[in-house]
Amino acid sequence: MASMNEVAKRAGVSIATVSRVLNNSDSVNEETRMKILKAIKELKYQPSRVAKRLRSKSGAGNLLGVLIPDIQNPFYVDVLRGIEDIAYQNNYVIIMCNFNQDEKKEAVYLDILESEAIDGLIAAPAHEDDPRIKKFLRSGLPVVCVDRGLKGVDVDVVWVNNEEGAYQAVSYMIEKGYKRIAHIGGLPTIPSSRLRLDGYRKALKDHGLEIDENLIVQGDSTYTSGIEFTGKLLNMANRPDALFTGNNLITLGALEAVNERKLDIPGDIAVLGFDDMNWSNALNPPLTAVRQPAYEIGKRAGELLIQRIKDPKRPCIQMTLNSELKVRSSC
Amino acid sequence: MASMNEVAKRAGVSIATVSRVLNNSDSVNEETRMKILKAIKELKYQPSRVAKRLRSKSGAGNLLGVLIPDIQNPFYVDVLRGIEDIAYQNNYVIIMCNFNQDEKKEAVYLDILESEAIDGLIAAPAHEDDPRIKKFLRSGLPVVCVDRGLKGVDVDVVWVNNEEGAYQAVSYMIEKGYKRIAHIGGLPTIPSSRLRLDGYRKALKDHGLEIDENLIVQGDSTYTSGIEFTGKLLNMANRPDALFTGNNLITLGALEAVNERKLDIPGDIAVLGFDDMNWSNALNPPLTAVRQPAYEIGKRAGELLIQRIKDPKRPCIQMTLNSELKVRSSC
DNA sequence: ACGGCAAATGTAAACGATTTCATTCAGATA
DNA sequence: TATCTGAATGAAATCGTTTACATTTGCCGT
């Protein structure tokens, strides 16, 4: 790859001048500009983003970090797509860090990102006290949180109103006439899990239904936990007539467990999932779900991050997007 | 962030010596080594990967590029996970480039990756003549292809035997007694689409079934194309009794179209998909599918890439993993 | 005719590492 | 004692940029 030096030599100018036309930062004679552009074209010169990043340590590196807990969860994939679209439009590129809900791995990735001199970070913290992300934040690096907030610090966040979404969903279930609505929640350490559970509880209470603690279980947000807990619920003597699942993967696990027992949805048990998927209509019956605008969450987060890189002083924004109950046939 | 210079100063040595203990490349007195390690700890020093990358241009940068056509396709997500695991184990980090089957975007990303001085690239080329990836290859950068090969050049590839997988699947369908087996294929420019179609044709032929060209359609590998073409097939006067879909997304689209018409699987139409998903059992009925070991493809590709970075001269390997027919209930 | 100003360009110091080529010094060898 | 050897270290160049700080030149006003 040609370097700036070679361009300068070929154009018969100094590298400073080349840099100037590249960043059109300063006035340069039209004629020399042409000469330089010509040399650039002829040599197929491409600036080294690495050198640039090393030299100017302030948001000029065009590199973003994305730290997410589980890339196999379709929700985060969609978020990632949103981020990527914005990044691409702005000539940024993304280092993908999938920490798999493993705090050690999260820490390692954050260290690496720092050492990579990223310009900004989009993260879904492991939990809301996450000291590592907080440290990052304190170091002055632009950070935007998605899906999960951070307690006690001022930071941009993009998420949905989890409690409200769950509340609406469960209210809908109650109105449909379901009486024994079970809930399989995700990891209690994840804020959204708790909020969704809160929404569930509040809906039951507001509608005068008794809360049966036996119908509430919390697992680790995985597919397997969905299978397992649904199995247990279905084996109960007095089994629930409806199931509200706490996320994508749990929902899918639940469906597997129900299928396995050849039970009918919604006849034997209705299912409503938090998190929609692009292919919810491919399920049989099509899944009724609380749709988070995942792609848009990513997009907004990307926009906020780039804004903050340009203007580190702007006040923090907590952006709450609306979830939407997609009524299909499973409930 | 502390720099090597500060460490050197605090330890009372030169940066050269610090570098030496960091890479334990040369002999250094045990006592000074201790002093330096102490200084490193005290300053929480972390080497800058950027500076390192700039200086030593040969695989020491610990940065990989991953170029995939569609990150919303669960297959590639699993591949990515495999790559990530290996990368993480080896202290590499990944720049994720999702080119969305858009060749312009692919080109832009490749330029950026070059400018980022990555140590190696894992790519699923847009098509088998892809000139951009070939150029990359010629430039001497370690490249491993996944899922899709590259014609006329020597390159590491990890994939499955698509033709054989399709052949087995369709043979199975025929043995099950299906007579009018339709096929919705992916983009014909993608090699795997063609190979799967070949396998389909060969199976019909070998079993003495007549090939009805009306039952063969090729779309653009998307979910939408799955819905659309399945719709058309189902509307035929003499509709097929079974459907072999060419990839993940097409399968899901097909299921949506079938569901929409309240047809029974496999009673009205059997479905067998190329590409399995982690949650195929959550589908109703559970999907019979050709399983590609996606995670392992990613893992192997990662391993091959790192090997090649260490030894650029080693002969190229074409690694063909076995696909597996997962018989469930949809066919 | 001269100081001053602005446009156009160049010089050289960073950024934070790696690496080549000295240099120092002790102990071994002849 | 003079020389050699090798271990331990340092000085300085280098990677490819940006940028602060000159320098040159022509033009203007007085």
Side-chain angles (χ1 to χ4, degrees), chain B residues 130-151:
Chain B
D130 197 317
R132 293 162 296 275
I133 309 253
K134 283 186 180 174
K135 195 187 112 204
F136 227 75
L137 205 52
R138 273 198 309 274
S139 82
L141 229 121
V143 174
V144 174
C145 290
V146 282
D147 183 45
R148 308 168 172 191
L150 225 39
K151 229 168 52 187

Side-chain angles (χ1 to χ4, degrees), chain B residues 31-164:
Chain B
E31 198 178 334
T32 51
R33 144 172 283 120
M34 284 311 172
K35 268 197 309 197
I36 291 173
L37 288 178
K38 186 157 158 273
I40 287 179
K41 214 162 251 170
E42 288 170 352
L43 292 172
K44 291 184 194 181
Y45 166 74
Q46 257 207 307
S48 155
R49 294 164 75 109
V50 182
K52 183 175 201 164
R53 186 169 306 135
L54 178 62
R55 179 54 224 260
S56 48
K57 1 202 14 61
S58 52
N62 290 336
L63 182 62
L64 262 33
V66 173
L67 183 74
I68 49 179
D70 179 10
I71 214 218
Q72 282 173 305
N73 181 325
F75 169 73
Y76 287 112
V77 172
D78 291 348
V79 171
L80 186 56
R81 271 290 287 125
I83 299 173
E84 196 236 355
D85 271 0
I86 296 297
Y88 182 74
Q89 283 169 29
N90 291 275
N91 193 26
Y92 279 82
V93 105
I94 288 172
I95 290 188
M96 205 261 319
C97 303
N98 173 243
F99 69 93
N100 245 68
Q101 210 61 249
D102 169 351
E103 303 204 16
K104 169 94 181 301
K105 197 172 173 190
E106 188 199 22
V108 172
Y109 265 135
L110 284 172
D111 280 349
I112 293 181
L113 288 178
E114 194 182 350
S115 154
E116 287 285 2
I118 57 170
D119 300 317
L121 172 70
I122 293 182
H127 53 82
E128 61 194 341
D129 292 309
D130 197 317
R132 293 162 296 275
I133 309 253
K134 283 186 180 174
K135 195 187 112 204
F136 227 75
L137 205 52
R138 273 198 309 274
S139 82
L141 229 121
V143 174
V144 174
C145 290
V146 282
D147 183 45
R148 308 168 172 191
L150 225 39
K151 229 168 52 187
V153 294
D154 208 25
V155 59
D156 289 323
V157 188
V158 184
W159 53 13
V160 299
N161 191 329
N162 283 291
E163 184 171 352
E164 176 66 16

